[in-house]
Amino acid sequence: QMDTITCSAVVSACEKGGVWVQAMELLSTIATNSIQMDTITCNAAISACEKGGEWTQALELLHAMVRDSIQMNTITFNAAISACEKGGEWTQALELLSTMADRNMQ
């Protein structure tokens, strides 16, 4: 049976394997099956996007976390900033850094 913990583990495995497409497909499956996504699941997916050079997907996930009221932490922002850095999107990276400062994250 799929639950949040199982899905987080699989997304994390996708991230470690560098297969961001499969991580994103799993997120779609999670949504379809009304399984609760959490910070750990989203962080792993953002990291998968970062490793795949998919900064736009990483930012979309970040926005989805805001929309769905999923708590973000330093790991979330670090992965998204790293994705932007790998994509040469330094202005986006600076905006994320500013957002972290606004939220008093270190």
Side-chain angles (χ1 to χ4, degrees):
Q1 178 179 347
M2 287 189 3
D3 62 9
T4 302
I5 295 169
T6 304
C7 291
S8 291
V10 176
V11 172
S12 183
C14 291
E15 177 255 327
K16 287 174 179 40
V19 288
W20 71 272
V21 173
Q22 286 81 356
M24 297 304 289
E25 287 174 355
L26 182 57
L27 289 186
S28 178
T29 301
I30 290 169
T32 301
N33 290 297
S34 300
I35 297 169
Q36 183 72 34
M37 281 199 298
D38 63 7
T39 304
I40 296 167
T41 308
C42 292
N43 287 353
I46 290 171
S47 291
C49 292
E50 176 258 325
K51 288 184 178 176
E54 296 293 326
W55 67 272
T56 55
Q57 291 288 333
L59 293 183
E60 284 182 26
L61 280 169
L62 206 62
H63 294 300
M65 290 178 78
V66 171
R67 181 193 68 226
D68 297 338
S69 300
I70 299 171
Q71 184 176 357
M72 293 180 269
N73 59 24
T74 304
I75 295 167
T76 310
F77 281 97
N78 284 344
I81 287 169
S82 183
C84 291
E85 178 266 326
K86 287 187 176 179
E89 295 295 324
W90 62 271
T91 54
Q92 292 286 340
L94 288 175
E95 285 182 32
L96 291 172
L97 188 62
S98 176
T99 301
M100 282 182 74
D102 292 344
R103 293 174 178 240
N104 295 317
M105 292 183 172
Q106 298 182 11

